[in-house]
Amino acid sequence: MEFAPASARAQSAQPHLMNASKLSPPASPKLTDPAPPAVPPGSALYTAKRGDSITLVAHKYISQTSFLTSSELSEAIRKANGNWQGTFLKAGQPVIVPGILDAPIVEKSIPVAKDFEVRAIYLTGLMAGSDHGMRIIRHWREVGGNAVVFDIKDSDGSVNIPFEHALLGSHHTPIRDLPKFVRFLHSQNLHAIARIAMFRDERLVVAHPELAVQSRKNGKPWRENGKLVWTDPSQPKVQEYDIALALKAAEAGADEIQFDYVRFPAEGDQKDASFVFQTQHPDWHRADVIADFLKHAYAEIHPKGVLLSLDVFGIMAWQRPVDLSHTGQDIVRMAAHCDVLSPMIYPSHFFGMDGVARPGDAPEHFIGESMERFEKITAGSGVVIRPWLQAFAWRTKTYSPKYIETQVLTAKNKGGIGFLFWNANNDYSKPYTAMPEMKAAAGKYFRGDEVTNVRAALAAVAH
């Protein structure tokens, strides 16, 4: 098109063409950063910093997610980011973190009758909070287990869960989130038993020597065979500390609280040991202290809707005066203040008893004799006898899956309801083998009780 001369153009008609010679050339299209990845619901978007890795990101976010361990979360992060296989992240790299919780997990106990037939293994707190521990738990469930006993306080006094108390201070917590861990157990339809080693507590007496058993000779904390490990079971502050920890576990959703070491020290120079109760209640004996403590503990714990079980020495079934005077474990009186008694009737521990040279190789005799005696002692009390059984090879040449089966069958035939397997190293290879065989023999070794997952059932109904 040909334009008319400039003088003939009306300025008002084409204002946008005025001073066209002074206009800048058209700008190049602006380059923008790539759009951030879409973040799925329940996820967070993290922008990596220099030196970050998948593992570091998992550690940063683990407490905010539904995952139990950092390695579990690390694997989930990789999957959420296109199965990313690298180790270190680039600065500025967007990373999707899945499993983010809207709020901290709140878990509720799943009530069961006290004669619920528990089939459990024991895990240390360190193991329970690990990836290997989760594999053990899943495997135990697969072979027929329905419960897990896990330490929230062990006999060295280490507390394995977050717990604020004036006597404790900062501490390592291998089970970082107890409600989350219990929810995992419940998701596997497992009965969650929180174990507390009570009065043997090295951490507490080292930090607070005034709470230890005291020596009559020198007025210093008393030592059991040279070891400073015993709190004074009659010391009110010690009792309150342990009950507070038990209530913490109950509030976090544990289904049962188990007291171990609920006794006085049984070794060392007993005449040199001095206790608070000897001044406050001069007419009391050690059994009076234990019974009084359990009365108060049960009154606080039972209303929470959880079971209270007590671990006791297997030897107490023989009712020898020397054992009672040292430990304070009067079985009849203890049975009145708990739901379950769990005698530790490991055959190998009956060394020198009943004229048997190798008690570890005589499980039928010692488990049978122990169970008969405990059933007789507690007759009419309503307490359930659920024994601890041997899942280790110490002092026996016959430890095998058959050894496991013999113990379970003997305990059941003598009135036991359920069982707990103990292995300090958490090695349950023999029970793993024995359980499917026992399960296949319907009713012979155990009834086969199962936990009803109330939360899952309600969710199913809602949908």
Side-chain angles (χ1 to χ4, degrees):
M1 178 179 179
E2 184 178 357
F3 289 101
S7 60
R9 296 199 300 266
Q11 294 184 7
S12 60
Q14 301 282 351
H16 61 287
L17 293 179
M18 293 182 61
N19 299 320
S21 61
K22 298 180 180 180
L23 295 177
S24 300
S28 300
K30 185 178 180 181
L31 298 176
T32 58
D33 294 330
V39 182
S43 300
L45 184 63
Y46 175 73
T47 302
K49 299 178 177 61
R50 185 175 180 178
D52 272 348
S53 66
I54 291 289
T55 301
L56 285 174
V57 174
H59 277 296
K60 176 182 177 66
Y61 278 93
I62 184 65
S63 63
Q64 302 175 44
T65 73
S66 58
F67 296 95
L68 281 171
T69 67
S70 294
S71 57
E72 256 196 333
L73 178 55
S74 294
E75 183 61 28
I77 291 174
R78 291 183 184 282
K79 290 181 179 178
N81 291 273
N83 289 318
W84 198 78
Q85 297 302 311
T87 300
F88 289 98
L89 301 166
K90 296 178 181 178
Q93 181 176 346
V95 181
I96 294 173
V97 181
I100 299 295
L101 298 167
D102 292 332
I105 288 176
V106 175
E107 190 67 358
K108 300 295 184 182
S109 304
I110 298 177
V112 297
K114 64 180 177 181
D115 62 348
F116 173 73
E117 185 190 61
V118 162
R119 305 184 297 279
I121 52 172
Y122 156 77
L123 295 179
T124 64
L126 191 62
M127 183 63 80
S130 71
D131 290 286
H132 184 43
M134 293 178 66
R135 289 192 292 271
I136 291 175
I137 290 168
R138 289 189 175 103
H139 194 187
W140 179 239
R141 180 61 185 147
E142 289 169 0
V143 299
N146 68 356
V148 171
V149 180
F150 57 94
D151 278 339
I152 60 170
K153 180 160 82 81
D154 206 348
S155 58
D156 63 355
S158 56
V159 175
N160 300 311
I161 63 171
F163 178 54
E164 293 185 8
H165 195 282
L167 296 179
L168 181 59
S170 62
H171 60 287
H172 179 55
T173 55
I175 303 176
R176 288 184 287 246
D177 188 324
L178 184 55
K180 188 191 295 187
F181 178 70
V182 173
R183 176 163 292 188
F184 166 66
L185 294 179
H186 286 169
S187 75
Q188 300 290 309
N189 279 7
L190 291 166
H191 181 67
I193 306 174
R195 173 181 177 262
I196 303 175
M198 302 294 288
F199 301 131
R200 191 183 193 278
D201 190 328
E202 181 179 1
R203 180 185 177 112
L204 194 57
V205 294
V206 168
H208 301 278
E210 72 279 8
L211 302 180
V213 179
Q214 300 298 309
S215 168
R216 296 180 186 278
K217 296 177 182 177
N218 57 33
K220 296 180 179 179
W222 178 85
R223 294 175 180 267
E224 182 184 59
N225 298 330
K227 298 178 180 179
L228 177 60
V229 293
W230 278 96
T231 63
D232 182 345
S234 64
Q235 169 61 252
K237 289 184 178 179
V238 172
Q239 296 183 359
E240 291 164 6
Y241 172 66
D242 285 316
I243 291 175
L245 182 57
L247 293 174
K248 176 74 172 181
E251 291 165 3
D255 308 311
E256 179 174 328
I257 308 299
Q258 182 185 90
F259 287 173
D260 198 358
Y261 289 90
V262 57
R263 62 177 178 86
F264 282 75
E267 300 178 23
D269 185 354
Q270 295 291 311
K271 293 182 179 179
D272 183 42
S274 175
F275 304 94
V276 169
F277 82 90
Q278 292 168 329
T279 300
Q280 295 181 346
H281 302 281
D283 57 330
W284 278 18
H285 298 285
R286 296 185 183 188
D288 297 309
V289 174
I290 298 300
D292 182 71
F293 164 70
L294 289 175
K295 178 181 178 181
H296 288 94
Y298 193 53
E300 292 202 45
I301 294 170
H302 189 65
K304 300 298 181 182
V306 301
L307 298 180
L308 177 62
S309 57
L310 309 176
D311 296 343
V312 296
F313 274 146
I315 197 69
M316 299 312 297
W318 272 254
Q319 295 278 278
R320 300 188 305 188
V322 63
D323 296 325
L324 178 59
S325 65
H326 284 181
T327 65
Q329 289 189 338
D330 184 322
I331 300 302
V332 174
R333 297 176 70 181
M334 293 176 78
H337 306 298
C338 68
D339 300 297
V340 178
L341 280 175
S342 289
M344 298 173 281
I345 51 177
Y346 316 123
S348 293
H349 285 202
F350 288 90
F351 209 72
M353 292 286 295
D354 292 0
V356 180
R358 296 189 62 86
D361 295 328
E364 287 178 291
H365 171 75
F366 284 101
I367 290 178
E369 185 72 12
S370 297
M371 288 301 301
E372 284 185 357
R373 289 173 177 267
F374 274 108
E375 287 290 333
K376 183 177 180 180
I377 294 168
T378 61
S381 69
V383 76
V384 169
I385 306 297
R386 180 208 297 156
W388 277 103
L389 301 179
Q390 181 167 336
F392 51 88
W394 187 62
R395 281 182 169 173
T396 174
K397 295 181 178 180
T398 56
Y399 182 60
S400 63
K402 183 63 178 177
Y403 191 97
I404 295 295
E405 293 173 17
T406 297
Q407 292 182 94
V408 171
L409 183 60
T410 303
K412 179 177 179 292
N413 288 342
K414 297 295 184 178
I417 300 177
F419 51 84
L420 314 165
F421 285 131
W422 177 274
N423 183 291
N425 296 320
N426 300 162
D427 176 2
Y428 297 104
S429 53
K430 299 300 187 290
Y432 288 159
T433 302
M435 282 294 288
E437 296 182 15
M438 292 191 290
K439 188 177 180 180
K444 180 179 179 181
Y445 294 91
F446 45 77
R447 297 191 308 248
D449 293 7
E450 294 293 345
V451 176
T452 299
N453 193 326
V454 177
R455 187 178 62 254
L458 290 175
V461 172
H463 288 83

